[in-house]
Amino acid sequence: MMQQQSFIKKYWKKALLTIGIIILLILATTWYLSLQWSKQARLQLRSYVQEMSDSLYTLQYADLNLNILTGSLALYNVSLVRDAAIYEKLQQQHKAPKFLYTFSADRVNLHYFKVLRYFRHKELSAGALEFHNPSIVLELNSQNIDTTVHKDAYQNINKKIHSLYLGSLLLDNINLKYTYVKKDSSLVITQLSQLKVHVKDFLIDSLALNDPTRFLYAHNYEIGLKDYKYRTPDSLYWLHIRDVNYSAAEQTLTIGQFSVDPRYNKQQFDIRAKTQRDRYDVQLNNITLYKLQPRLLLEQQVLWANKLDIATGNVNIYHNRMLPMPPGNKLGQYPNQLLLKLALPIYIDTLIGQKAEVSYTEINPKTQEAGKITFSHLHGTFRNITNIDSMIAKKSHFIADMDAVLMNSGKLKARFDFSLKDRSGAFAVSGQVKSMDGKELNPILKPLAQIEIKSCQIDDVTFNMNGNEKEADGEVNFLYNNLKINILKKEEGTHEYKKKGLITLFANALVIKDSNPDKGETRIVYPHFTRDPQKSFFNLVWKTLFTGLKEVALGKNAPI
């Protein structure tokens, strides 16, 4: 028994010694291979970058660690640097690429790297590649002339690497600067921070480019941006974008919220504006852009999408007419004219605003009071939003259909038809308001017109008009009954209004036509209004409509 135990003990000692020697040999071999392959990796990484870029770029890093047991490769303080002298030489030879880039990162990690496959078969395969705190500078220079034969990614790498596969490519907390150099040397610069890019199932080989399930060699690109803030050049607003996400597989861009935030309250805004101008306070929520074409946006600066959907929104506009008028005029600033002047080529087939609350507030210099009109539960569909000539040749009109509740009472429907071929801003507007208590209009009529509706049941207002940037002609059918008004005068030094008794009595008895139709006859009028060139498109539409309403209710050339 003692001999058997001694034999087992001796056997296990030899076995453990053998295993230990094997482990030491493996570790020594691993250490040796890691050391040798690390040297090769250092040399190859730098040479690959230089050869593939015609020496335009150089890869720099502080240290490289390769662990073949864990399949991990780490680079520290990494940067890709452009050689200015080589770039200038390539420009002179008309070989400089239009798209340029540089980057730096604190650390780059390659995980689950199949080291043996790479060094034996020149196939680079890894589970994940991660860039930590990268700073990226992209430049699209449209002035560069590149006469070299275009090569795709596989043609660029296939002399050195037969295939490249990454299960996941992650760039987190990116600082990005994108510069677009135009033909006239002017610059468009965009800077973003805290950007995240996640590329899934990335493959470069002889077949990947033509794989219909892939976009730019990957099954999906996901881009996220938490927050972006931009101050407008006039310093009056912040443009704020939150929770931006893009999916290449779905071709959708979602924005949690877009807002136009005034930097100053109304009083401070007026002081800084100095002259009359609209003050906007806008918030749009849950925006989705479908079938967005990112390549057109990046390479040709064209915004192209099939559909834009806005779930909810709030738009508040304030205008103080107590300020002096601004110099110049507003000719050429109709919606269709501004769209055609937009520097960014754009095509959006359909824009749908699901539900918005809109208000317009105006200060009357006579009463020094604010009148306010509201449109609630506003739904709008906008079609053929474009300034691209080839698309305008197919469809030459930009159409907007809207419905809303006017002043918490009236059911409003309207259609705006804008010509995209007529440079004079030609347009047509048609609409209808039904079933409204006229007294609901008093919050805007009292301060702005010093008139109060005592009673009026509005059954139907139907209107059509055609115009351009100079004038408009229309047709108005206003059906109502039991119209009675009070003509007011504001008490000086107070916010109170006093009724002008005699004038009110005269107006109700002799001037105002209290119903339409009246005695079996329906009055339809055809107003004409010449635009004040210092006023907006919507002012012309309102003035033309108001002229028609006034003519139906008071008759032509009424004294009030």
Side-chain angles (χ1 to χ4, degrees):
M1 187 71 177
M2 290 291 291
Q3 288 181 344
Q4 187 177 4
Q5 286 179 346
S6 177
F7 174 77
I8 293 171
K9 196 172 182 181
K10 186 177 180 182
Y11 172 81
W12 274 109
K13 280 183 180 179
K14 287 183 178 180
L16 289 172
L17 182 61
T18 303
I19 291 169
I21 292 170
I22 292 170
I23 290 173
L24 284 172
L25 285 172
I26 291 171
L27 289 173
T29 304
T30 301
W31 174 81
Y32 176 77
L33 290 175
S34 293
L35 192 65
Q36 294 301 312
W37 285 349
S38 290
K39 289 179 182 178
Q40 288 187 47
R42 285 188 177 92
L43 293 171
Q44 290 177 5
L45 276 173
R46 288 195 172 99
S47 66
Y48 286 178
V49 170
Q50 285 193 312
E51 288 177 31
M52 290 177 191
S53 66
D54 288 334
S55 299
L56 179 59
Y57 295 104
T58 301
L59 181 66
Q60 299 176 351
Y61 51 87
D63 196 13
L64 179 151
N65 288 332
L66 173 65
N67 188 323
I68 63 174
L69 284 180
T70 60
S72 62
L73 175 70
L75 297 171
Y76 300 90
N77 297 326
V78 188
S79 61
L80 185 70
V81 181
R82 187 173 72 201
D83 189 312
I86 297 293
Y87 178 55
E88 185 177 349
K89 182 182 175 181
L90 291 173
Q91 282 182 312
Q92 292 170 355
Q93 296 173 346
H94 290 173
K95 292 182 178 180
K98 290 189 175 184
F99 200 72
L100 305 158
Y101 44 87
T102 59
F103 86 89
S104 62
D106 294 343
R107 189 172 78 254
V108 177
N109 289 104
L110 193 63
H111 300 288
Y112 310 112
F113 175 33
K114 297 178 181 178
V115 183
L116 198 60
R117 180 184 293 186
Y118 169 71
F119 283 103
R120 279 192 175 180
H121 306 292
K122 293 302 177 185
E123 295 176 356
L124 198 161
S125 178
L129 177 62
E130 296 176 354
F131 291 77
H132 298 267
N133 300 320
S135 292
I136 302 173
V137 178
L138 303 178
E139 181 182 304
L140 178 60
N141 192 333
S142 61
Q143 295 179 332
N144 282 354
I145 300 171
D146 186 2
T147 59
T148 60
V149 177
H150 173 72
K151 293 182 180 180
D152 60 38
Y154 177 68
Q155 290 169 333
N156 273 317
I157 72 167
N158 69 346
K159 289 183 180 179
K160 301 290 183 182
I161 302 172
H162 299 149
S163 68
L164 188 157
Y165 174 78
L166 298 171
S168 171
L169 171 59
L170 179 64
L171 297 91
D172 202 3
N173 197 30
I174 305 168
N175 285 317
L176 173 68
K177 180 181 180 182
Y178 176 68
T179 303
Y180 175 50
V181 184
K182 295 184 177 181
K183 294 283 188 183
D184 60 3
S185 297
S186 61
L187 304 178
V188 178
I189 299 174
T190 304
Q191 290 186 292
L192 302 172
S193 59
Q194 296 183 321
L195 187 67
K196 182 178 181 179
V197 177
H198 189 192
V199 183
K200 296 181 179 179
D201 194 13
F202 182 82
L203 173 66
I204 298 177
D205 64 11
S206 60
L207 302 175
L209 183 61
N210 298 315
D211 184 344
T213 66
R214 295 180 181 274
F215 172 73
L216 293 178
Y217 301 99
H219 275 142
N220 198 13
Y221 286 78
E222 294 177 350
I223 301 172
L225 178 65
K226 269 298 185 187
D227 193 88
Y228 174 66
K229 202 171 184 180
Y230 171 74
R231 190 173 68 181
T232 57
D234 59 15
S235 198
L236 293 176
Y237 297 96
W238 285 112
L239 301 184
H240 210 154
I241 303 174
R242 300 174 179 87
D243 298 323
V244 180
N245 291 284
Y246 171 71
S247 169
E250 297 177 1
Q251 289 184 287
T252 58
L253 175 72
T254 62
I255 301 173
Q257 186 179 89
F258 169 76
S259 63
V260 180
D261 303 317
R263 296 185 64 218
Y264 309 101
N265 62 34
K266 292 173 184 176
Q267 184 179 2
Q268 293 170 332
F269 184 93
D270 288 342
I271 292 170
R272 283 164 173 79
K274 297 179 182 178
T275 59
Q276 290 187 37
R277 64 188 299 174
D278 292 332
R279 176 186 181 271
Y280 297 95
D281 191 346
V282 179
Q283 187 180 92
L284 305 178
N285 305 308
N286 299 324
I287 303 164
T288 306
L289 203 57
Y290 297 93
K291 298 297 179 184
L292 176 67
Q293 304 299 316
R295 186 173 289 178
L296 283 175
L297 185 61
L298 287 173
E299 296 180 3
Q300 300 180 32
Q301 302 292 294
V302 175
L303 177 59
W304 189 291
N306 282 12
K307 181 183 174 185
L308 175 61
D309 188 271
I310 303 172
T312 62
N314 286 282
V315 180
N316 299 296
I317 306 169
Y318 162 84
H319 189 99
N320 189 352
R321 285 176 47 219
M322 293 178 66
L323 298 174
M325 291 295 293
N329 58 58
K330 292 189 176 181
L331 295 176
Q333 295 186 33
Y334 278 10
N336 45 343
Q337 293 173 318
L338 291 174
L339 177 59
L340 293 171
K341 290 178 182 177
L342 197 65
L344 179 72
I346 183 172
Y347 173 76
I348 299 175
D349 182 79
T350 306
L351 185 157
I352 297 176
Q354 300 285 359
K355 183 182 178 183
E357 308 296 317
V358 178
S359 71
Y360 175 78
T361 303
E362 183 174 293
I363 306 294
N364 183 355
K366 290 182 180 179
T367 63
Q368 299 184 18
E369 297 289 334
K372 183 176 181 180
I373 186 169
T374 62
F375 303 87
S376 55
H377 304 287
L378 175 65
H379 177 277
T381 302
F382 303 78
R383 297 181 179 87
N384 197 40
I385 305 170
T386 187
N387 54 10
I388 300 172
D389 291 340
S390 60
M391 302 308 294
I392 293 172
K394 296 177 182 178
K395 289 183 182 178
S396 61
H397 287 255
F398 160 39
I399 307 292
D401 290 301
M402 290 181 277
D403 58 84
V405 178
L406 174 63
M407 299 296 284
N408 303 311
S409 177
K411 298 174 183 176
L412 169 67
K413 287 188 176 182
R415 163 169 280 210
F416 295 83
D417 184 336
F418 298 100
S419 172
L420 296 174
K421 283 188 174 179
D422 191 315
R423 298 291 168 171
S424 68
F427 71 91
V429 180
S430 59
Q432 184 181 46
V433 179
K434 295 190 72 173
S435 305
M436 183 173 185
D437 184 349
K439 290 188 289 186
E440 297 289 349
L441 295 170
N442 284 331
I444 191 168
L445 290 176
K446 285 175 68 175
L448 300 188
Q450 297 189 81
I451 291 174
E452 178 183 43
I453 293 179
K454 191 176 178 181
S455 67
C456 181
Q457 179 57 42
I458 300 171
D459 297 318
D460 185 277
V461 178
T462 302
F463 56 92
N464 299 279
M465 67 183 75
N466 293 277
N468 53 39
E469 64 179 358
K470 294 183 178 179
E471 59 189 359
D473 292 283
E475 176 184 307
V476 177
N477 187 5
F478 178 22
L479 306 180
Y480 63 94
N481 61 78
N482 194 29
L483 174 58
K484 295 288 185 291
I485 68 168
N486 289 326
I487 297 177
L488 308 174
K489 178 182 179 182
K490 183 159 180 288
E491 293 281 355
E492 203 161 325
T494 72
H495 295 288
E496 302 299 321
Y497 292 88
K498 182 179 179 181
K499 184 173 78 171
K500 292 182 176 180
L502 187 60
I503 297 177
T504 295
L505 181 64
F506 170 77
N508 285 320
L510 302 176
V511 179
I512 290 175
K513 304 177 188 299
D514 69 349
S515 298
N516 186 38
D518 185 23
K519 298 177 182 178
E521 181 183 347
T522 301
R523 299 184 301 281
I524 300 175
V525 298
Y526 302 90
H528 171 86
F529 196 84
T530 301
R531 180 193 179 190
D532 179 345
Q534 287 191 302
K535 300 295 179 64
S536 69
F537 163 77
F538 292 102
N539 180 268
L540 174 63
V541 172
W542 163 245
K543 289 291 187 181
T544 306
L545 176 58
F546 182 73
T547 300
L549 296 174
K550 185 177 176 182
E551 193 174 324
V552 171
L554 306 179
K556 209 163 189 177
N557 303 317
I560 61 171

